[in-house]
Every structure is written in C-alpha cells, then in structure tokens.
Amino acid sequence: MVESLFSVLPIVIIVFILCLYISPMQPDLLLTFLVGAMMLIIGMGLFSLGAEQSMTPIGNQIGTALTRTKNLPLILAVSFLLGFAITIAEPDLQVLAQTVPHISNTVLLITVGAGVGFFMSVCMLRILTGMRLRLLLIFFYAIIFLLAFFADKNFLGIAFDSGGVTTGPMTVPFILALGLGVSNVRSDKNAEADSFGLVALCSIGPVLAVLILGFFYKDNAAVADLSTASYGTTTDIGYAFLHAIPHYLKETAIAMLPIIVIFFLFQFTLLHLDSRNLGKIMIGLLYTYIGLVLFLTGVNIGFSALGAELGAALSSGKSVWWLVPLAMAIGWFIISAEPAVAVLEKQIETVSAGAIPGRVIKRSLSIAIALAMGLSMIRVLTGISLFWFLIPGYTTALILTFFVPDIYTAIAFDSGGVASGPMTATFMLQFFMGASIALGGNVLQDAFGVVALVAMMPLVSIQLVGLFYERKQKRTKETTVVYGDYDIVELWEGEHAK
C-alpha cells in the first residue's frame, strides 16, 4: 500500500499546485479526482499484493509443470492461452481500450490478447531452444516498421501504446514467473539469462496485432469525446462511484475468469497443490479482483476527467511552449515514484554483481521518461509524426544490442514495461488528449503515442548505462594493482618468498 501511495502522490501534488495556482478547476472535479486517487492507491495496493501472491506462483508452477511434460505443441498452445488470458485482465490495457474512440473495446482487447499470446509461445520456444534475443528483436521490429509505413496513421500511435500498456502490474509478474519456471528445468549456464527478455518480446505482439488490425478494421469514424460530468453535490459524486462499481465488478470478473479456469485445469491435472498453497493463491486472486475493480473505478470516474480538463485548460493560453518543461517535470516525478523501478534496480544490481548502483538506474530512467514526456508534448504542439521519434529511437536501441552484453539488452527491453506504468496510461494520456483537442490537433495521431515513447526511451538509457559500466569494469581489470605497505596480501607474499 505504501508503494502505491508513493506512486500516486507525486501526480496528486502536481495536480493540486496546477489547479490551485495556475489553472483553476471546478471544485467538484477536483474532489472527484481526490476520491479517485484514494481508490487508486487502495486498488493498486491490493492488486499488487494479490498479483504477487497469486499470479507469480501460478506462472512459476505452470511453467515448470509445462516444461516437464516435454510436449512442445502443448507448451506452445498453453502459452498462447495464458498470454491471451492474462492480457485481457491487464488494468492498463483496459483503461487504454476505453480511451480509444474508433476501435471497439472488445475488438482491441481480443486483438492485443492474441498478439501477446502468440509471442508468449515465441518466448517459450526461445527459452527451450536458446535462440538469441537480439536476432528476434531485430527481425520482428523490422516487420513492425515495414507494416507501419503502410498502416492507417490513426492506428500507429495506438499500436505502439498497446505494446507499452500490456506490460503492466498484472502481466509482468506472471510472464517473468512463467519464464523462470520454464528456464528452471534447463541446467545450462544461459538458462537464467534467457528467462529475461520475455516482456520485451511480448510487448511486440500488441504492436504487430493492432497494425494488422488497421488494414481490416474500418469502423474508424468516431472521434475522441472527453466531455466530463458535472456534479452538483458531494452526494452526486458518491453516487457516480457507487453506480460504476457494479459495472466494473462484472467486467473484471469476465476478464479474470479465463486465467482462473486455466489454473484450475492445471491444478486438477498436473499441479495438485496442497490445500495451504491453494488457499494462498485463492486469497491472492480475491485481492487481485477487488484491487482491479477499485483501480478501474477510480481511474475512469476520477482521474481521466480531470486529466483531460487540465490539459485543455493549460493549452488555452497565449504561450503553450511552457507545457514542454511541465510535461518533463511530471515525467521525472512519475518514474521516480514508480514501485516497479525499485524491482528493476535490484534486478540490475544482482546481475551486475553490484557494479551498477541502483541510484544510477533510477537517475537514467528519470532522464529518459522526462525526455519522453517532453517529446510527446512537442508532438501535441506541432503535429510531428510519431515516426520521427520511433525510428531513430529503436534504431539506436537495436544498434546498441551489438555492443552490450545480452543480459543488459534483455533487461533494457524489459524495462520499457516498467517505465510505462499506471500513471502514464491513466492520467498522462488523458492530459495530452485534452491539450490536443484544445489546440485543434488530431488526437489519434498527435496525443496517442505517449506510452510508446515512454516505453522506448529506457531501451536506450539502460543499454547505455550497461555499456558504460561494462567498459569501466574492463578498464579496472586491466589496471595494475599497487598494494600498500600494510596490505595483508603483500605481507603474505613477502613471507611466502622467504
């Protein structure tokens, strides 16, 4: 719960400062935002606790049990179903699906789920065969950008945003645990390294799937509607939240049902967990369910409305370029407080045997996300195509893979999912959409894409950090060590010489 509080608190403080001193908002809208923030904090806390207690062990147990069957068609088929099921329940994706105006929620969810499911199978095949991650990344990103040149421009930003939001608090723990469970069966020295990179590959699936959808899906006449409700009294605000909860109770139950069914099929056939472990997982699933309901209710009723209104209000002045440093400041504080960043810091410190300090990782991510937010606001203000940022960014990231050890490449591409956390998909996307509408821009082409840039920038920053410290470590090894007069090693050597 504390991690959720510190994740949401910076954006709440920034919004309060903006609303009180720079761009006044209606009191009912600000109060709704506060109630939504409280629900978001509680929901994310319960959700994170539940996902750790249920999704992680489910993924690990199923991954290990699947691999021991040594049945490749079964492994690939179940991996597809698991990837599909876990993606449908991802809260960040559900928020994005409800935001996209010209694609049906169900169609987008199924498309993205299918993309993740396919690449879950690719991930399992890679772990079992030991294929190089670099080659897969280059191959699939080449296909992505080839398709992107011919795809509908209204689908471009949404496609890349879909890749960022799928790697959220539900999907990442499950995918990592599933990969670790599969790699545990292997005994070679590369097994642990190959368990990284799953998030990177699964992020590719939604991008490809939505780009392909753009060639066939023609129901794109709708436009973004950011109209907000007005609440006369505090009672009206309370009723708005209460009326939304039953809707999200139903939606969340439908979203989580497939993964629960798959788990119980494995429980009765391969796992046979004892009642104590099974009880822990069931309690975890309950926490996950309640947390997800509170999260979605708080976001859609409280956060989205104020984000859009604030973006529109701040863009109505004569000088709008100050929004670029403002967006960068918000990006800096959002990623600094993101709970998943702490997990990434520990992961890299472990892999590098402490050679890369955690604070360096946090600082590099803060710079990367601040730049991503600034570039996103420049796109809103100028209408520059997303291509002008994605092509140089991904080209640089892929070139760096030839100079950086594979483990750092895998962690860097995984970190894109860490950076594009709940605040980016919920508040910031709405903020950019409101600014785009106020400036008379094309929301689909100018506002969507912020999650894509946030997910892309760490690919470069983490690899650069890895490259710097790898070279620094090599230089240290090549340097001749001079011992002091009172060094124990020197005294031992002198005694040994006698």
Side-chain angles (χ1 to χ4, degrees):
M1 202 71 70
V2 175
E3 289 183 345
S4 302
L5 173 64
F6 282 105
S7 178
V8 178
L9 191 59
I11 199 72
V12 172
I13 294 174
I14 292 172
V15 166
F16 252 82
I17 293 173
L18 292 173
C19 292
L20 292 177
Y21 300 106
I22 298 176
S23 181
M25 292 282 111
Q26 292 295 328
D28 60 335
L29 204 58
L30 191 57
L31 181 58
T32 306
F33 171 78
L34 280 178
V35 176
M38 291 177 59
M39 296 185 73
L40 201 66
I41 292 169
I42 298 171
M44 280 302 298
L46 290 174
F47 180 86
S48 299
L49 176 64
E52 183 180 349
Q53 191 171 324
S54 59
M55 294 303 154
T56 300
I58 288 175
N60 206 322
Q61 295 282 352
I62 291 179
T64 303
L66 264 180
T67 311
R68 286 176 177 164
T69 64
K70 297 182 180 179
N71 187 333
L72 184 59
L74 177 65
I75 292 173
L76 298 182
V78 173
S79 298
F80 176 86
L81 291 175
L82 288 171
F84 181 88
I86 201 71
T87 302
I88 298 299
E90 178 59 55
D92 292 355
L93 176 61
Q94 294 198 25
V95 172
L96 180 69
Q98 292 168 3
T99 304
V100 174
H102 65 305
I103 306 176
S104 164
N105 288 10
T106 304
V107 171
L108 186 60
L109 288 172
I110 291 175
T111 302
V112 173
V116 174
F118 173 78
F119 273 84
M120 276 293 291
S121 300
V122 173
C123 289
M124 295 303 106
L125 195 60
R126 170 184 167 259
I127 293 177
L128 295 173
T129 60
M131 286 189 290
R132 294 290 296 273
L133 177 64
R134 178 200 304 159
L135 298 178
L136 290 173
L137 290 174
I138 293 173
F139 175 74
F140 285 115
Y141 274 110
I143 295 176
I144 282 176
F145 283 107
L146 182 63
L147 287 175
F149 275 113
F150 302 100
D152 188 334
K153 291 182 179 180
N154 289 338
F155 282 78
L156 183 62
I158 295 161
F160 281 92
D161 281 354
S162 298
V165 298
T166 49
T167 51
M170 172 76 89
T171 313
V172 170
F174 183 85
I175 290 177
L176 292 178
L178 184 66
L180 189 60
V182 174
S183 64
N184 282 341
V185 180
R186 284 174 49 187
S187 57
D188 59 287
K189 62 180 181 180
N190 295 323
E192 182 182 0
D194 285 343
S195 67
F196 295 108
L198 273 74
V199 175
L201 287 173
C202 287
S203 299
I204 296 174
V207 183
L208 272 176
V210 175
L211 286 175
I212 294 172
L213 177 69
F215 289 100
F216 305 100
Y217 190 82
K218 299 304 178 185
D219 186 19
N220 56 2
V223 295
D225 180 17
L226 299 181
S227 58
T228 57
S230 179
Y231 305 102
T233 65
T234 53
T235 304
D236 293 335
I237 296 175
Y239 277 126
F241 283 100
L242 288 176
H243 288 165
I245 287 177
H247 170 71
Y248 292 112
L249 283 171
K250 180 181 177 181
E251 279 200 355
T252 304
I254 295 173
M256 290 186 62
L257 184 61
I259 192 67
I260 295 174
V261 171
I262 293 173
F263 166 67
F264 273 103
L265 286 176
F266 269 85
Q267 166 65 12
F268 294 135
T269 55
L270 294 175
L271 298 180
H272 305 295
L273 298 177
D274 57 58
S275 57
R276 181 180 179 183
N277 287 324
L278 183 61
K280 286 183 178 179
I281 291 176
M282 294 305 298
I283 293 173
L285 288 171
L286 180 62
Y287 284 155
T288 304
Y289 176 70
I290 297 173
L292 188 52
V293 171
L294 293 175
F295 175 89
L296 291 174
T297 305
V299 163
N300 288 288
I301 303 299
F303 258 57
S304 299
L306 184 64
E309 286 288 327
L310 190 60
L314 292 174
S315 304
S316 60
K318 294 181 179 179
S319 177
V320 293
W321 286 100
W322 72 276
L323 291 176
V324 175
L326 173 63
M328 294 178 69
I330 295 175
W332 178 280
F333 286 109
I334 283 179
I335 195 62
S336 296
E338 182 62 49
V341 172
V343 178
L344 182 67
E345 290 174 21
K346 294 177 182 177
Q347 186 184 43
I348 295 180
E349 283 186 338
T350 302
V351 170
S352 67
I356 304 180
R359 65 179 182 276
V360 174
I361 301 301
K362 178 176 285 189
R363 184 62 56 85
S364 65
L365 280 175
S366 296
I367 294 172
I369 304 311
L371 288 173
M373 291 295 184
L375 293 174
S376 297
M377 184 55 74
I378 290 174
R379 286 186 58 240
V380 171
L381 298 177
T382 62
I384 298 176
S385 172
L386 187 62
F387 267 129
W388 289 101
F389 302 100
L390 292 181
I391 293 177
Y394 277 101
T395 301
T396 303
L398 293 173
I399 290 174
L400 284 171
T401 63
F402 290 94
F403 302 96
V404 178
D406 289 348
I407 187 66
Y408 291 114
T409 296
I411 293 174
F413 277 81
D414 282 353
S415 67
V418 172
S420 53
M423 291 298 97
T424 306
T426 56
F427 184 82
M428 291 308 297
L429 179 56
Q430 293 287 334
F431 181 81
F432 285 113
M433 290 175 69
S436 180
I437 290 176
L439 295 169
N442 187 322
V443 175
L444 297 177
Q445 297 180 22
D446 299 340
F448 284 95
V450 56
V451 182
L453 291 179
V454 168
M456 180 193 73
M457 294 300 288
L459 312 186
V460 177
S461 66
I462 296 297
Q463 287 192 102
L464 287 175
V465 170
L467 181 63
F468 173 78
Y469 276 90
E470 189 71 15
R471 292 190 173 183
K472 181 180 178 181
Q473 194 173 16
K474 286 181 180 179
R475 288 196 301 268
T476 302
K477 289 180 179 179
E478 293 172 358
T479 305
T480 303
V481 179
V482 179
Y483 297 103
D485 293 337
Y486 300 100
D487 196 296
I488 295 175
V489 175
E490 184 176 351
L491 291 173
W492 180 85
E493 287 179 350
E495 191 67 29
H496 181 71
K498 294 178 181 180

